[in-house]
Amino acid sequence: KAGVTQTPRYLIKTRGQQVTLSCSPISGHRSVSWYQQTPGQGLQFLFEYFSETQRNKGNFPGRFSGRQFSNSRSEMNVSTLELGDSALYLCASSTTGDRTDTQYFGPGTRLTVL
Amino acid sequence: QQQVKQSPQSLIVQKGGISIINCAYENTAFDYFPWYQQFPGKGPALLIAIRPDVSEKKEGRFTISFNKSAKQFSLHIMDSQPGDSATYFCAASRGDDKIIFGKGTRLHILP
């Protein structure tokens, strides 16, 4: 099976712009979660989608949003970018999204905000 | 109460030695504790996980020890190898709530 893929792998944006990141889960996986990874804050949960519905959300401002399509592919959007949004954004997929279900992470999208 | 505190931040171990990484939590409602391994340029990968109803779980050279009364759990890597050099994250979760990660430990195994 192909692993989780994320596009693009690298992105450079300027403050105030918006960005859309894409995640294709492993075939058959219906749950997709997004995480932000920074040196200072570590790994932080953004949100989780299952069958096109957001089931859980982390403590991030409304500028961070996401969606999931009927084929389980997911996108996350960050509007009005700030310097502090520079991070590695990771997507993970699992079969059911149950917390004991193994999550498989993609390689991430490295976002740099100038 | 939602934090998971991980130590040390970085660790250097001789090849063949035992690597030990510790985590502590406050929320007694946490009931699932996974460990993840992350290599540079890759996403984290689940290494091993434990529930609080057992005190130890072993998979190959990797062992989780769990102390419920002290609210601590640790990862032991026996016979550490250079290929184990990576960043390790502990985590905790409960119910339908979001997973909380420790800040990570950068492990380097000297050849």
Side-chain angles (χ1 to χ4, degrees), chain A residues 1 4 25-26 28-33 35 48 91-105, chain B residues 32 34-36 44-49 57 59 99:
Chain A
K1 269 186 183 177
V4 176
I26 290 172
H29 286 191
R30 294 169 66 190
S31 169
V32 173
S33 297
Y35 298 85
E48 187 242 344
C91 144
S93 76
S94 66
T95 308
T96 65
D98 182 89
R99 63 211 174 84
T100 62
D101 192 16
T102 300
Q103 288 191 92
Y104 295 87
F105 283 81
Chain B
Y32 181 65
W35 283 88
Y36 288 84
L46 179 67
L47 196 59
I48 186 172
K57 183 173 181 180
E59 288 186 6
I99 188 169

PDB file of all heavy atoms in Angstrom, chain A residues 1 4 25-26 28-33 35 48 91-105, chain B residues 32 34-36 44-49 57 59 99:
ATOM      1  N   LYS A   1       0.842  -1.193   0.000  1.00  0.00           N
ATOM      2  CA  LYS A   1       0.000   0.000   0.000  1.00  0.00           C
ATOM      3  C   LYS A   1       0.868   1.230   0.000  1.00  0.00           C
ATOM      4  O   LYS A   1       1.874   1.290   0.684  1.00  0.00           O
ATOM      5  CB  LYS A   1      -0.843   0.029   1.287  1.00  0.00           C
ATOM      6  CG  LYS A   1      -2.169  -0.635   1.184  1.00  0.00           C
ATOM      7  CD  LYS A   1      -2.962  -0.406   2.482  1.00  0.00           C
ATOM      8  CE  LYS A   1      -4.277  -1.138   2.428  1.00  0.00           C
ATOM      9  NZ  LYS A   1      -5.016  -0.989   3.678  1.00  0.00           N
ATOM     10  N   VAL A   4       0.966   7.640   3.314  1.00  0.00           N
ATOM     11  CA  VAL A   4       0.291   8.939   3.313  1.00  0.00           C
ATOM     12  C   VAL A   4       1.140   9.923   2.517  1.00  0.00           C
ATOM     13  O   VAL A   4       2.352   9.999   2.720  1.00  0.00           O
ATOM     14  CB  VAL A   4       0.112   9.452   4.755  1.00  0.00           C
ATOM     15  CG1 VAL A   4      -0.504  10.841   4.751  1.00  0.00           C
ATOM     16  CG2 VAL A   4      -0.719   8.473   5.571  1.00  0.00           C
ATOM     17  N   PRO A  25      -4.693  10.144   2.212  1.00  0.00           N
ATOM     18  CA  PRO A  25      -4.468   9.081   3.185  1.00  0.00           C
ATOM     19  C   PRO A  25      -4.189   7.744   2.508  1.00  0.00           C
ATOM     20  O   PRO A  25      -4.330   7.605   1.298  1.00  0.00           O
ATOM     21  CB  PRO A  25      -5.800   9.043   3.948  1.00  0.00           C
ATOM     22  CG  PRO A  25      -6.817   9.474   2.936  1.00  0.00           C
ATOM     23  CD  PRO A  25      -6.110  10.494   2.080  1.00  0.00           C
ATOM     24  N   ILE A  26      -3.818   6.787   3.323  1.00  0.00           N
ATOM     25  CA  ILE A  26      -3.642   5.427   2.840  1.00  0.00           C
ATOM     26  C   ILE A  26      -4.996   4.916   2.362  1.00  0.00           C
ATOM     27  O   ILE A  26      -6.036   5.195   2.991  1.00  0.00           O
ATOM     28  CB  ILE A  26      -3.078   4.526   3.959  1.00  0.00           C
ATOM     29  CG1 ILE A  26      -1.631   4.926   4.248  1.00  0.00           C
ATOM     30  CG2 ILE A  26      -3.168   3.050   3.604  1.00  0.00           C
ATOM     31  CD1 ILE A  26      -1.025   4.245   5.454  1.00  0.00           C
ATOM     32  N   GLY A  28      -8.291   3.189   1.913  1.00  0.00           N
ATOM     33  CA  GLY A  28      -9.121   2.490   2.892  1.00  0.00           C
ATOM     34  C   GLY A  28      -9.203   3.189   4.238  1.00  0.00           C
ATOM     35  O   GLY A  28     -10.065   2.854   5.054  1.00  0.00           O
ATOM     36  N   HIS A  29      -8.326   4.136   4.475  1.00  0.00           N
ATOM     37  CA  HIS A  29      -8.379   4.897   5.735  1.00  0.00           C
ATOM     38  C   HIS A  29      -9.392   6.023   5.600  1.00  0.00           C
ATOM     39  O   HIS A  29      -9.368   6.782   4.633  1.00  0.00           O
ATOM     40  CB  HIS A  29      -6.998   5.475   6.070  1.00  0.00           C
ATOM     41  CG  HIS A  29      -6.034   4.459   6.558  1.00  0.00           C
ATOM     42  ND1 HIS A  29      -4.817   4.792   7.108  1.00  0.00           N
ATOM     43  CD2 HIS A  29      -6.104   3.100   6.594  1.00  0.00           C
ATOM     44  CE1 HIS A  29      -4.176   3.690   7.463  1.00  0.00           C
ATOM     45  NE2 HIS A  29      -4.938   2.648   7.153  1.00  0.00           N
ATOM     46  N   ARG A  30     -10.247   6.149   6.608  1.00  0.00           N
ATOM     47  CA  ARG A  30     -11.297   7.163   6.553  1.00  0.00           C
ATOM     48  C   ARG A  30     -11.064   8.329   7.501  1.00  0.00           C
ATOM     49  O   ARG A  30     -11.766   9.319   7.473  1.00  0.00           O
ATOM     50  CB  ARG A  30     -12.640   6.497   6.860  1.00  0.00           C
ATOM     51  CG  ARG A  30     -13.059   5.490   5.796  1.00  0.00           C
ATOM     52  CD  ARG A  30     -14.232   4.656   6.230  1.00  0.00           C
ATOM     53  NE  ARG A  30     -15.433   5.467   6.388  1.00  0.00           N
ATOM     54  CZ  ARG A  30     -16.559   5.023   6.934  1.00  0.00           C
ATOM     55  NH1 ARG A  30     -16.615   3.785   7.396  1.00  0.00           N
ATOM     56  NH2 ARG A  30     -17.611   5.802   7.027  1.00  0.00           N
ATOM     57  N   SER A  31     -10.077   8.171   8.365  1.00  0.00           N
ATOM     58  CA  SER A  31      -9.782   9.249   9.319  1.00  0.00           C
ATOM     59  C   SER A  31      -8.484   9.945   8.932  1.00  0.00           C
ATOM     60  O   SER A  31      -7.477   9.295   8.615  1.00  0.00           O
ATOM     61  CB  SER A  31      -9.643   8.673  10.729  1.00  0.00           C
ATOM     62  OG  SER A  31      -9.110   9.645  11.607  1.00  0.00           O
ATOM     63  N   VAL A  32      -8.529  11.260   8.950  1.00  0.00           N
ATOM     64  CA  VAL A  32      -7.336  12.067   8.688  1.00  0.00           C
ATOM     65  C   VAL A  32      -7.204  13.107   9.794  1.00  0.00           C
ATOM     66  O   VAL A  32      -8.155  13.825  10.110  1.00  0.00           O
ATOM     67  CB  VAL A  32      -7.421  12.782   7.326  1.00  0.00           C
ATOM     68  CG1 VAL A  32      -6.241  13.744   7.157  1.00  0.00           C
ATOM     69  CG2 VAL A  32      -7.434  11.764   6.190  1.00  0.00           C
ATOM     70  N   SER A  33      -6.022  13.146  10.388  1.00  0.00           N
ATOM     71  CA  SER A  33      -5.735  14.145  11.422  1.00  0.00           C
ATOM     72  C   SER A  33      -4.601  15.031  10.948  1.00  0.00           C
ATOM     73  O   SER A  33      -3.723  14.595  10.206  1.00  0.00           O
ATOM     74  CB  SER A  33      -5.321  13.464  12.734  1.00  0.00           C
ATOM     75  OG  SER A  33      -6.362  12.679  13.253  1.00  0.00           O
ATOM     76  N   TYR A  35      -1.540  17.859  12.248  1.00  0.00           N
ATOM     77  CA  TYR A  35      -0.727  18.291  13.370  1.00  0.00           C
ATOM     78  C   TYR A  35       0.229  19.387  12.915  1.00  0.00           C
ATOM     79  O   TYR A  35       0.666  19.418  11.773  1.00  0.00           O
ATOM     80  CB  TYR A  35       0.107  17.137  13.932  1.00  0.00           C
ATOM     81  CG  TYR A  35      -0.701  15.995  14.473  1.00  0.00           C
ATOM     82  CD1 TYR A  35      -1.164  14.977  13.644  1.00  0.00           C
ATOM     83  CD2 TYR A  35      -1.008  15.922  15.835  1.00  0.00           C
ATOM     84  CE1 TYR A  35      -1.912  13.933  14.147  1.00  0.00           C
ATOM     85  CE2 TYR A  35      -1.750  14.863  16.345  1.00  0.00           C
ATOM     86  CZ  TYR A  35      -2.190  13.880  15.485  1.00  0.00           C
ATOM     87  OH  TYR A  35      -2.926  12.839  15.990  1.00  0.00           O
ATOM     88  N   GLU A  48      -9.242  16.634  13.385  1.00  0.00           N
ATOM     89  CA  GLU A  48      -9.407  15.298  12.842  1.00  0.00           C
ATOM     90  C   GLU A  48     -10.709  15.207  12.066  1.00  0.00           C
ATOM     91  O   GLU A  48     -11.741  15.735  12.510  1.00  0.00           O
ATOM     92  CB  GLU A  48      -9.409  14.238  13.947  1.00  0.00           C
ATOM     93  CG  GLU A  48      -9.421  12.789  13.405  1.00  0.00           C
ATOM     94  CD  GLU A  48     -10.650  12.001  13.796  1.00  0.00           C
ATOM     95  OE1 GLU A  48     -11.376  12.415  14.723  1.00  0.00           O
ATOM     96  OE2 GLU A  48     -10.905  10.952  13.166  1.00  0.00           O
ATOM     97  N   CYS A  91       0.196  15.304   8.427  1.00  0.00           N
ATOM     98  CA  CYS A  91      -1.113  14.680   8.303  1.00  0.00           C
ATOM     99  C   CYS A  91      -0.931  13.208   8.646  1.00  0.00           C
ATOM    100  O   CYS A  91       0.117  12.615   8.355  1.00  0.00           O
ATOM    101  CB  CYS A  91      -1.613  14.930   6.889  1.00  0.00           C
ATOM    102  SG  CYS A  91      -2.554  13.642   6.134  1.00  0.00           S
ATOM    103  N   ALA A  92      -1.915  12.640   9.291  1.00  0.00           N
ATOM    104  CA  ALA A  92      -1.868  11.227   9.647  1.00  0.00           C
ATOM    105  C   ALA A  92      -3.211  10.582   9.315  1.00  0.00           C
ATOM    106  O   ALA A  92      -4.261  11.209   9.507  1.00  0.00           O
ATOM    107  CB  ALA A  92      -1.568  11.050  11.135  1.00  0.00           C
ATOM    108  N   SER A  93      -3.178   9.357   8.847  1.00  0.00           N
ATOM    109  CA  SER A  93      -4.433   8.674   8.550  1.00  0.00           C
ATOM    110  C   SER A  93      -4.524   7.373   9.342  1.00  0.00           C
ATOM    111  O   SER A  93      -3.517   6.794   9.751  1.00  0.00           O
ATOM    112  CB  SER A  93      -4.581   8.403   7.051  1.00  0.00           C
ATOM    113  OG  SER A  93      -3.763   7.319   6.627  1.00  0.00           O
ATOM    114  N   SER A  94      -5.752   6.957   9.595  1.00  0.00           N
ATOM    115  CA  SER A  94      -5.993   5.674  10.244  1.00  0.00           C
ATOM    116  C   SER A  94      -7.321   5.130   9.738  1.00  0.00           C
ATOM    117  O   SER A  94      -8.108   5.851   9.125  1.00  0.00           O
ATOM    118  CB  SER A  94      -5.998   5.814  11.764  1.00  0.00           C
ATOM    119  OG  SER A  94      -7.081   6.603  12.198  1.00  0.00           O
ATOM    120  N   THR A  95      -7.559   3.879  10.056  1.00  0.00           N
ATOM    121  CA  THR A  95      -8.750   3.214   9.539  1.00  0.00           C
ATOM    122  C   THR A  95     -10.022   3.833  10.106  1.00  0.00           C
ATOM    123  O   THR A  95     -10.924   4.239   9.372  1.00  0.00           O
ATOM    124  CB  THR A  95      -8.707   1.717   9.878  1.00  0.00           C
ATOM    125  OG1 THR A  95      -7.467   1.188   9.454  1.00  0.00           O
ATOM    126  CG2 THR A  95      -9.835   0.975   9.178  1.00  0.00           C
ATOM    127  N   THR A  96     -10.065   3.931  11.437  1.00  0.00           N
ATOM    128  CA  THR A  96     -11.308   4.377  12.089  1.00  0.00           C
ATOM    129  C   THR A  96     -11.170   5.707  12.814  1.00  0.00           C
ATOM    130  O   THR A  96     -12.162   6.323  13.166  1.00  0.00           O
ATOM    131  CB  THR A  96     -11.766   3.341  13.126  1.00  0.00           C
ATOM    132  OG1 THR A  96     -10.789   3.287  14.171  1.00  0.00           O
ATOM    133  CG2 THR A  96     -11.933   1.969  12.499  1.00  0.00           C
ATOM    134  N   GLY A  97      -9.939   6.116  13.086  1.00  0.00           N
ATOM    135  CA  GLY A  97      -9.758   7.334  13.865  1.00  0.00           C
ATOM    136  C   GLY A  97      -9.831   7.103  15.357  1.00  0.00           C
ATOM    137  O   GLY A  97      -9.617   8.012  16.153  1.00  0.00           O
ATOM    138  N   ASP A  98     -10.119   5.860  15.751  1.00  0.00           N
ATOM    139  CA  ASP A  98     -10.083   5.553  17.183  1.00  0.00           C
ATOM    140  C   ASP A  98      -8.668   5.817  17.689  1.00  0.00           C
ATOM    141  O   ASP A  98      -7.696   5.522  17.000  1.00  0.00           O
ATOM    142  CB  ASP A  98     -10.453   4.080  17.408  1.00  0.00           C
ATOM    143  CG  ASP A  98     -10.469   3.717  18.883  1.00  0.00           C
ATOM    144  OD1 ASP A  98     -11.528   3.863  19.504  1.00  0.00           O
ATOM    145  OD2 ASP A  98      -9.413   3.311  19.392  1.00  0.00           O
ATOM    146  N   ARG A  99      -8.554   6.344  18.888  1.00  0.00           N
ATOM    147  CA  ARG A  99      -7.229   6.777  19.348  1.00  0.00           C
ATOM    148  C   ARG A  99      -6.267   5.620  19.522  1.00  0.00           C
ATOM    149  O   ARG A  99      -5.058   5.823  19.570  1.00  0.00           O
ATOM    150  CB  ARG A  99      -7.357   7.558  20.654  1.00  0.00           C
ATOM    151  CG  ARG A  99      -7.913   6.757  21.791  1.00  0.00           C
ATOM    152  CD  ARG A  99      -8.698   7.628  22.742  1.00  0.00           C
ATOM    153  NE  ARG A  99      -9.331   6.810  23.742  1.00  0.00           N
ATOM    154  CZ  ARG A  99      -8.723   6.395  24.826  1.00  0.00           C
ATOM    155  NH1 ARG A  99      -7.475   6.755  25.050  1.00  0.00           N
ATOM    156  NH2 ARG A  99      -9.349   5.639  25.698  1.00  0.00           N
ATOM    157  N   THR A 100      -6.760   4.390  19.648  1.00  0.00           N
ATOM    158  CA  THR A 100      -5.860   3.241  19.746  1.00  0.00           C
ATOM    159  C   THR A 100      -5.581   2.620  18.383  1.00  0.00           C
ATOM    160  O   THR A 100      -4.821   1.669  18.281  1.00  0.00           O
ATOM    161  CB  THR A 100      -6.452   2.172  20.680  1.00  0.00           C
ATOM    162  OG1 THR A 100      -7.683   1.714  20.124  1.00  0.00           O
ATOM    163  CG2 THR A 100      -6.689   2.737  22.068  1.00  0.00           C
ATOM    164  N   ASP A 101      -6.195   3.186  17.356  1.00  0.00           N
ATOM    165  CA  ASP A 101      -5.957   2.736  15.992  1.00  0.00           C
ATOM    166  C   ASP A 101      -4.654   3.367  15.517  1.00  0.00           C
ATOM    167  O   ASP A 101      -4.463   4.576  15.682  1.00  0.00           O
ATOM    168  CB  ASP A 101      -7.143   3.200  15.129  1.00  0.00           C
ATOM    169  CG  ASP A 101      -7.176   2.556  13.774  1.00  0.00           C
ATOM    170  OD1 ASP A 101      -6.487   1.544  13.570  1.00  0.00           O
ATOM    171  OD2 ASP A 101      -7.907   3.065  12.909  1.00  0.00           O
ATOM    172  N   THR A 102      -3.757   2.609  14.936  1.00  0.00           N
ATOM    173  CA  THR A 102      -2.453   3.143  14.542  1.00  0.00           C
ATOM    174  C   THR A 102      -2.611   4.249  13.511  1.00  0.00           C
ATOM    175  O   THR A 102      -3.279   4.058  12.484  1.00  0.00           O
ATOM    176  CB  THR A 102      -1.559   2.039  13.964  1.00  0.00           C
ATOM    177  OG1 THR A 102      -1.364   1.036  14.957  1.00  0.00           O
ATOM    178  CG2 THR A 102      -0.206   2.603  13.542  1.00  0.00           C
ATOM    179  N   GLN A 103      -1.991   5.383  13.804  1.00  0.00           N
ATOM    180  CA  GLN A 103      -1.974   6.487  12.854  1.00  0.00           C
ATOM    181  C   GLN A 103      -0.702   6.392  12.029  1.00  0.00           C
ATOM    182  O   GLN A 103       0.371   6.160  12.565  1.00  0.00           O
ATOM    183  CB  GLN A 103      -1.969   7.831  13.584  1.00  0.00           C
ATOM    184  CG  GLN A 103      -3.279   8.199  14.243  1.00  0.00           C
ATOM    185  CD  GLN A 103      -3.245   9.638  14.704  1.00  0.00           C
ATOM    186  OE1 GLN A 103      -3.643  10.551  13.995  1.00  0.00           O
ATOM    187  NE2 GLN A 103      -2.759   9.840  15.897  1.00  0.00           N
ATOM    188  N   TYR A 104      -0.842   6.600  10.738  1.00  0.00           N
ATOM    189  CA  TYR A 104       0.302   6.599   9.838  1.00  0.00           C
ATOM    190  C   TYR A 104       0.507   8.029   9.353  1.00  0.00           C
ATOM    191  O   TYR A 104      -0.393   8.626   8.754  1.00  0.00           O
ATOM    192  CB  TYR A 104       0.056   5.653   8.661  1.00  0.00           C
ATOM    193  CG  TYR A 104      -0.051   4.210   9.085  1.00  0.00           C
ATOM    194  CD1 TYR A 104      -1.268   3.669   9.488  1.00  0.00           C
ATOM    195  CD2 TYR A 104       1.072   3.389   9.115  1.00  0.00           C
ATOM    196  CE1 TYR A 104      -1.366   2.350   9.907  1.00  0.00           C
ATOM    197  CE2 TYR A 104       0.976   2.065   9.518  1.00  0.00           C
ATOM    198  CZ  TYR A 104      -0.240   1.557   9.919  1.00  0.00           C
ATOM    199  OH  TYR A 104      -0.334   0.244  10.336  1.00  0.00           O
ATOM    200  N   PHE A 105       1.701   8.544   9.634  1.00  0.00           N
ATOM    201  CA  PHE A 105       1.991   9.932   9.300  1.00  0.00           C
ATOM    202  C   PHE A 105       2.610  10.063   7.920  1.00  0.00           C
ATOM    203  O   PHE A 105       3.377   9.213   7.469  1.00  0.00           O
ATOM    204  CB  PHE A 105       2.975  10.527  10.316  1.00  0.00           C
ATOM    205  CG  PHE A 105       2.349  10.901  11.635  1.00  0.00           C
ATOM    206  CD1 PHE A 105       2.119   9.945  12.604  1.00  0.00           C
ATOM    207  CD2 PHE A 105       1.999  12.219  11.897  1.00  0.00           C
ATOM    208  CE1 PHE A 105       1.543  10.292  13.828  1.00  0.00           C
ATOM    209  CE2 PHE A 105       1.433  12.583  13.115  1.00  0.00           C
ATOM    210  CZ  PHE A 105       1.204  11.606  14.073  1.00  0.00           C
TER     211      PHE A 105
ATOM    212  N   TYR B  32      -4.305   5.980  27.528  1.00  0.00           N
ATOM    213  CA  TYR B  32      -3.613   5.368  26.399  1.00  0.00           C
ATOM    214  C   TYR B  32      -2.334   6.160  26.182  1.00  0.00           C
ATOM    215  O   TYR B  32      -2.376   7.393  26.071  1.00  0.00           O
ATOM    216  CB  TYR B  32      -4.498   5.403  25.153  1.00  0.00           C
ATOM    217  CG  TYR B  32      -3.873   4.756  23.929  1.00  0.00           C
ATOM    218  CD1 TYR B  32      -3.606   3.393  23.893  1.00  0.00           C
ATOM    219  CD2 TYR B  32      -3.552   5.519  22.811  1.00  0.00           C
ATOM    220  CE1 TYR B  32      -3.032   2.809  22.782  1.00  0.00           C
ATOM    221  CE2 TYR B  32      -2.974   4.944  21.696  1.00  0.00           C
ATOM    222  CZ  TYR B  32      -2.720   3.588  21.677  1.00  0.00           C
ATOM    223  OH  TYR B  32      -2.141   3.007  20.572  1.00  0.00           O
ATOM    224  N   PRO B  34       1.009   6.163  23.873  1.00  0.00           N
ATOM    225  CA  PRO B  34       1.859   5.671  22.776  1.00  0.00           C
ATOM    226  C   PRO B  34       3.211   6.384  22.751  1.00  0.00           C
ATOM    227  O   PRO B  34       3.366   7.493  23.278  1.00  0.00           O
ATOM    228  CB  PRO B  34       1.046   6.034  21.534  1.00  0.00           C
ATOM    229  CG  PRO B  34       0.282   7.263  21.934  1.00  0.00           C
ATOM    230  CD  PRO B  34       0.067   7.185  23.436  1.00  0.00           C
ATOM    231  N   TRP B  35       4.172   5.741  22.147  1.00  0.00           N
ATOM    232  CA  TRP B  35       5.473   6.341  21.867  1.00  0.00           C
ATOM    233  C   TRP B  35       5.671   6.361  20.351  1.00  0.00           C
ATOM    234  O   TRP B  35       5.353   5.394  19.671  1.00  0.00           O
ATOM    235  CB  TRP B  35       6.604   5.528  22.500  1.00  0.00           C
ATOM    236  CG  TRP B  35       6.747   5.731  23.969  1.00  0.00           C
ATOM    237  CD1 TRP B  35       6.099   5.044  24.946  1.00  0.00           C
ATOM    238  CD2 TRP B  35       7.591   6.678  24.628  1.00  0.00           C
ATOM    239  NE1 TRP B  35       6.483   5.497  26.187  1.00  0.00           N
ATOM    240  CE2 TRP B  35       7.401   6.501  26.013  1.00  0.00           C
ATOM    241  CE3 TRP B  35       8.494   7.644  24.180  1.00  0.00           C
ATOM    242  CZ2 TRP B  35       8.083   7.269  26.967  1.00  0.00           C
ATOM    243  CZ3 TRP B  35       9.171   8.398  25.123  1.00  0.00           C
ATOM    244  CH2 TRP B  35       8.967   8.205  26.501  1.00  0.00           C
ATOM    245  N   TYR B  36       6.226   7.464  19.859  1.00  0.00           N
ATOM    246  CA  TYR B  36       6.488   7.615  18.443  1.00  0.00           C
ATOM    247  C   TYR B  36       7.972   7.854  18.213  1.00  0.00           C
ATOM    248  O   TYR B  36       8.665   8.446  19.033  1.00  0.00           O
ATOM    249  CB  TYR B  36       5.697   8.804  17.862  1.00  0.00           C
ATOM    250  CG  TYR B  36       4.218   8.548  17.748  1.00  0.00           C
ATOM    251  CD1 TYR B  36       3.368   8.743  18.831  1.00  0.00           C
ATOM    252  CD2 TYR B  36       3.670   8.106  16.550  1.00  0.00           C
ATOM    253  CE1 TYR B  36       2.011   8.510  18.724  1.00  0.00           C
ATOM    254  CE2 TYR B  36       2.306   7.873  16.439  1.00  0.00           C
ATOM    255  CZ  TYR B  36       1.493   8.070  17.526  1.00  0.00           C
ATOM    256  OH  TYR B  36       0.142   7.832  17.414  1.00  0.00           O
ATOM    257  N   PRO B  44       6.363  11.120  12.200  1.00  0.00           N
ATOM    258  CA  PRO B  44       6.484  10.169  13.314  1.00  0.00           C
ATOM    259  C   PRO B  44       5.864   8.826  12.950  1.00  0.00           C
ATOM    260  O   PRO B  44       4.941   8.757  12.139  1.00  0.00           O
ATOM    261  CB  PRO B  44       5.694  10.843  14.442  1.00  0.00           C
ATOM    262  CG  PRO B  44       5.587  12.272  14.055  1.00  0.00           C
ATOM    263  CD  PRO B  44       5.570  12.296  12.560  1.00  0.00           C
ATOM    264  N   ALA B  45       6.369   7.777  13.568  1.00  0.00           N
ATOM    265  CA  ALA B  45       5.813   6.430  13.374  1.00  0.00           C
ATOM    266  C   ALA B  45       5.584   5.808  14.745  1.00  0.00           C
ATOM    267  O   ALA B  45       6.437   5.926  15.635  1.00  0.00           O
ATOM    268  CB  ALA B  45       6.758   5.576  12.550  1.00  0.00           C
ATOM    269  N   LEU B  46       4.436   5.178  14.905  1.00  0.00           N
ATOM    270  CA  LEU B  46       4.129   4.531  16.177  1.00  0.00           C
ATOM    271  C   LEU B  46       5.130   3.418  16.457  1.00  0.00           C
ATOM    272  O   LEU B  46       5.380   2.563  15.613  1.00  0.00           O
ATOM    273  CB  LEU B  46       2.711   3.955  16.152  1.00  0.00           C
ATOM    274  CG  LEU B  46       2.268   3.233  17.419  1.00  0.00           C
ATOM    275  CD1 LEU B  46       2.143   4.222  18.569  1.00  0.00           C
ATOM    276  CD2 LEU B  46       0.942   2.508  17.193  1.00  0.00           C
ATOM    277  N   LEU B  47       5.697   3.477  17.661  1.00  0.00           N
ATOM    278  CA  LEU B  47       6.700   2.492  18.058  1.00  0.00           C
ATOM    279  C   LEU B  47       6.079   1.414  18.945  1.00  0.00           C
ATOM    280  O   LEU B  47       6.176   0.223  18.691  1.00  0.00           O
ATOM    281  CB  LEU B  47       7.799   3.232  18.833  1.00  0.00           C
ATOM    282  CG  LEU B  47       9.137   2.569  19.061  1.00  0.00           C
ATOM    283  CD1 LEU B  47       9.797   2.208  17.750  1.00  0.00           C
ATOM    284  CD2 LEU B  47      10.038   3.511  19.872  1.00  0.00           C
ATOM    285  N   ILE B  48       5.423   1.844  19.985  1.00  0.00           N
ATOM    286  CA  ILE B  48       4.853   0.935  20.975  1.00  0.00           C
ATOM    287  C   ILE B  48       3.879   1.751  21.808  1.00  0.00           C
ATOM    288  O   ILE B  48       4.037   2.961  21.958  1.00  0.00           O
ATOM    289  CB  ILE B  48       5.980   0.317  21.843  1.00  0.00           C
ATOM    290  CG1 ILE B  48       5.454  -0.744  22.797  1.00  0.00           C
ATOM    291  CG2 ILE B  48       6.756   1.394  22.569  1.00  0.00           C
ATOM    292  CD1 ILE B  48       6.578  -1.502  23.533  1.00  0.00           C
ATOM    293  N   ALA B  49       2.852   1.084  22.348  1.00  0.00           N
ATOM    294  CA  ALA B  49       1.860   1.805  23.158  1.00  0.00           C
ATOM    295  C   ALA B  49       1.450   0.940  24.340  1.00  0.00           C
ATOM    296  O   ALA B  49       1.553  -0.291  24.294  1.00  0.00           O
ATOM    297  CB  ALA B  49       0.648   2.176  22.324  1.00  0.00           C
ATOM    298  N   LYS B  57       5.362  -3.275  28.934  1.00  0.00           N
ATOM    299  CA  LYS B  57       5.082  -3.890  27.648  1.00  0.00           C
ATOM    300  C   LYS B  57       6.373  -3.897  26.852  1.00  0.00           C
ATOM    301  O   LYS B  57       7.067  -2.878  26.783  1.00  0.00           O
ATOM    302  CB  LYS B  57       4.004  -3.119  26.883  1.00  0.00           C
ATOM    303  CG  LYS B  57       3.627  -3.762  25.550  1.00  0.00           C
ATOM    304  CD  LYS B  57       2.464  -3.066  24.924  1.00  0.00           C
ATOM    305  CE  LYS B  57       2.076  -3.717  23.610  1.00  0.00           C
ATOM    306  NZ  LYS B  57       0.924  -3.018  22.979  1.00  0.00           N
ATOM    307  N   GLU B  59       8.418  -4.946  23.206  1.00  0.00           N
ATOM    308  CA  GLU B  59       8.378  -5.337  21.800  1.00  0.00           C
ATOM    309  C   GLU B  59       9.804  -5.268  21.270  1.00  0.00           C
ATOM    310  O   GLU B  59      10.340  -4.186  21.027  1.00  0.00           O
ATOM    311  CB  GLU B  59       7.452  -4.425  20.993  1.00  0.00           C
ATOM    312  CG  GLU B  59       5.986  -4.644  21.274  1.00  0.00           C
ATOM    313  CD  GLU B  59       5.054  -3.851  20.381  1.00  0.00           C
ATOM    314  OE1 GLU B  59       5.525  -3.182  19.439  1.00  0.00           O
ATOM    315  OE2 GLU B  59       3.840  -3.888  20.645  1.00  0.00           O
ATOM    316  N   ILE B  99      -5.065  13.923  21.323  1.00  0.00           N
ATOM    317  CA  ILE B  99      -3.834  13.362  21.868  1.00  0.00           C
ATOM    318  C   ILE B  99      -2.883  14.499  22.234  1.00  0.00           C
ATOM    319  O   ILE B  99      -2.808  15.525  21.543  1.00  0.00           O
ATOM    320  CB  ILE B  99      -3.204  12.397  20.832  1.00  0.00           C
ATOM    321  CG1 ILE B  99      -2.028  11.628  21.428  1.00  0.00           C
ATOM    322  CG2 ILE B  99      -2.764  13.142  19.580  1.00  0.00           C
ATOM    323  CD1 ILE B  99      -1.547  10.487  20.549  1.00  0.00           C
TER     324      ILE B  99
END
